[in-house]
Amino acid sequence: MSRQPQPTPRPGGRSARVRQAILTATSEQLIAGGYDALTVNEVAAAAGVAITTVYRRWPTKAELAAAALGELAATANPMPDTGRIETDLRALLAQILGLLRRPEIARLVRAVAAIDPDTPGADAARVAFWQTRFAGSASIVTRAIARGEIDAAAEPEAVIELLVGPAYLRLLLTGRPLDAELEAESLRRTLAAYAPDTETT
Amino acid sequence: MSRQPQPTPRPGGRSARVRQAILTATSEQLIAGGYDALTVNEVAAAAGVAITTVYRRWPTKAELAAAALGELAATANPMPDTGRIETDLRALLAQILGLLRRPEIARLVRAVAAIDPDTPGADAARVAFWQTRFAGSASIVTRAIARGEIDAAAEPEAVIELLVGPAYLRLLLTGRPLDAELEAESLRRTLAAYAPDTETT
Amino acid sequence: MSRQPQPTPRPGGRSARVRQAILTATSEQLIAGGYDALTVNEVAAAAGVAITTVYRRWPTKAELAAAALGELAATANPMPDTGRIETDLRALLAQILGLLRRPEIARLVRAVAAIDPDTPGADAARVAFWQTRFAGSASIVTRAIARGEIDAAAEPEAVIELLVGPAYLRLLLTGRPLDAELEAESLRRTLAAYAPDTETT
Amino acid sequence: MSRQPQPTPRPGGRSARVRQAILTATSEQLIAGGYDALTVNEVAAAAGVAITTVYRRWPTKAELAAAALGELAATANPMPDTGRIETDLRALLAQILGLLRRPEIARLVRAVAAIDPDTPGADAARVAFWQTRFAGSASIVTRAIARGEIDAAAEPEAVIELLVGPAYLRLLLTGRPLDAELEAESLRRTLAAYAPDTETT
DNA sequence: GAATAAACGAGACGGTACGTCGCGTCTTTAC
DNA sequence: GTAAAGACGCGACGTACCGTCTCGTTTATTC
């Protein structure tokens, strides 16, 4: 009776708005209560869409969470660039610890850590989420190597891993405090570990 | 009608057997499929007890899991003691990475990381689980300090944290591989970071 | 994102079928074993629906039972109309006693009697269940009054109450037999109590 | 090896005290909340005995409730004796309706009505509970017959049944009010039904 | 007054049913 | 014809209460 013109996918149309609303609502719930407190029902309600709509796009709750976490990766923090590796790393570490000390961020990190690697798309989201952050961080090291402040043989990401590894270990597993002493020690030892010519003859 | 003297608890009785059966079954399920695959129903069935009996002792699934993880802490691995810090740490790191590469252990670690700190008794279990392991590890460092192989100002546990932090970071968050290069680099840089007199004048 | 117009309820759809199946299964179980033998689990199984579906509609077992009893009210028995009050009442009483002598009906009546008046909707169901029956019965009396066979000052329902009260009293409380003597006596005394002009001067 | 002399039961000893405490606690709970709110656990706690002790004497909750209700039968109300059947019955009816209007008594009556006749000992308790009451009431009628106020052919208990039947019917089934009009009507019609020479020639 | 049988106290346990929560699917209706 | 709305299936969680069992202790009766 009536003609149905094949609607081309609308990039800026309703779909995009719906998608964004859902992901935003998901992120908020993840931040508010972690993965367990995330419910598809409430996400749909908060986003003002039907539950079916959510499931049409992300088949499982895990994939929805992964997608939302992936989105959060975009919210990158500014990377310090002071011209000296020590102050750069100190600022970076202070920024990260400042985040990890906030309960809602701690919940988020826990949620990411809990993701089953077998979940489709989940691992991709995890990698994206964290490599984005680490990629930015690594540039700090790259510049320091160019300046001769860091052992030229160092892999930039490994430096960052050594710097923040203990902090995440405490947060996720041992429960030891994320205090100023950890901050100072991590910075000092990382610099020592990667000092140029330190362990060469 | 009148107050009776408190009968002594029976340590080797049925209660103890039931408790052990439940915790064993829980551990097995945790290892087999992680926290999400853990169901109280199946634990009860595997332990040969009624579901209500499980709930009488551990009010929630989370507390049950925490208790089981706490029990697993008793299963301590032998700590290497070769007389040289480098070989000690190399053996320790190889041991830990060997464990973390096994999917069922990875699941367990994930389960621990996911524990909500607010769960009653959960944090205690986490601390117990990990500090048991770390306490053993720290003795390696203590001996090395006595031998002058490690900076005397070092806190033993901090050395271990620096050694294994990157490995756990990769396992839980970044998803990068737990390969031989990580193993070599972690060992080398940790030794450098804590070498005696290295950063003193 | 925006409010949708309220879709009209579908009267003949799946919901209605499910509802009917559940109530039918409930009624059968009530008849078969009374209120205590009624289990939501078996109702759901017999109705071929999920347990949660039952609970979605009737939050408690009591309300489910009440609803089912309310449905049973629709199954009205034919009211005798012979043109004479004595034969009408005799037939009615015989019919009721015939029902009450059946164990499954006795269980049903017991179930209704046991309903806690505080249960939401329970009282409504009770009133509906019984007033339906009594309303039909009362018309017998109304006609008799018109024919001058019954004291014109009588309230029709009170006549029925006097007629069947002793029978229910025996069934529910005293346990005395519902025998032919009760039948004869109840009829005779009720007629005497409401005979026209009997107690007027 | 040893001989077991059969010890005679001790009538006034601890057993009797325990028994009384349990039955009293049971009655209180029945009055307070009806049969469903009666829990063996709380009865035991209130009586200051172990749960096992309760079960040793009454194998099921139903039998316990029956026993307690049987005890309550002993609490007989004084029967009016004014010398005139009309005032006697009016006082009796007022007394009974006064009781039935109290919620806790209504609960008790409901509990009795709900007793499954198949429960061992339950029916005995019911019969005892109510026939005690009715036996007392019947004496009123017996005296009235002797005075010629009541049809000599009447069975005393049937008179009482007619008098109070409608009230119990309303309480247990129809939910109609136990008001003054019911009181007046029940008395008036019962007297009419059993008036001497009314239906004789 | 000592032996001894019966009853009691305490606590955990097995089991059934209740009612809840949340995920993911399916039907029905409206646009 | 597509998508929103909502009911549904399903599985697990956690709770309440009934009735059983074991074992140690107390009571009271009998010799």
Side-chain angles (χ1 to χ4, degrees), chain A residues 5-172:
Chain A
Q6 192 65 12
T8 59
R10 319 127 228 153
R14 184 171 59 170
S15 286
R17 264 180 292 122
V18 163
R19 178 194 145 88
Q20 199 50 51
I22 293 173
L23 288 183
T24 301
T26 304
S27 298
E28 280 167 4
Q29 288 221 0
L30 274 177
I31 291 170
Y35 183 80
D36 280 354
L38 172 71
T39 72
V40 180
N41 248 301
E42 286 180 20
V43 163
V49 304
I51 302 142
T52 351
T53 303
V54 179
Y55 278 108
R56 234 186 305 276
R57 293 170 176 279
W58 298 278
T60 69
K61 170 182 163 180
E63 296 182 47
L64 171 63
L69 289 172
E71 287 284 297
L72 285 179
T75 317
N77 293 61
M79 283 301 145
D81 183 4
T82 63
R84 268 187 65 215
I85 183 62
E86 184 176 345
T87 44
D88 275 4
L89 288 187
R90 173 175 292 124
L92 174 65
L93 186 56
Q95 183 189 84
I96 289 181
L97 280 175
L99 286 173
L100 296 188
R101 288 190 189 105
R102 289 163 55 189
E104 69 273 20
I105 303 294
R107 267 194 296 267
L108 254 187
V109 174
R110 259 179 233 291
V112 176
I115 294 179
D116 182 352
D118 298 339
T119 305
D123 214 56
R126 172 154 66 199
V127 170
F129 185 56
W130 287 98
Q131 266 177 1
T132 297
R133 178 169 307 259
F134 272 67
S137 311
S139 66
I140 293 177
V141 181
T142 306
R143 289 193 303 268
I145 292 176
R147 288 191 302 261
E149 295 174 322
I150 287 286
D151 179 8
E155 185 204 11
E157 293 195 347
V159 179
I160 305 298
E161 285 178 337
L162 201 71
L163 180 71
V164 302
Y168 282 104
L169 184 63
R170 289 187 175 195
L171 174 69
L172 292 173

Side-chain angles (χ1 to χ4, degrees), chain A residues 17 21 48, chain C residues 1-2 4:
Chain A
R17 264 180 292 122
Chain C
M1 281 222 198
S2 55
Q4 245 63 29

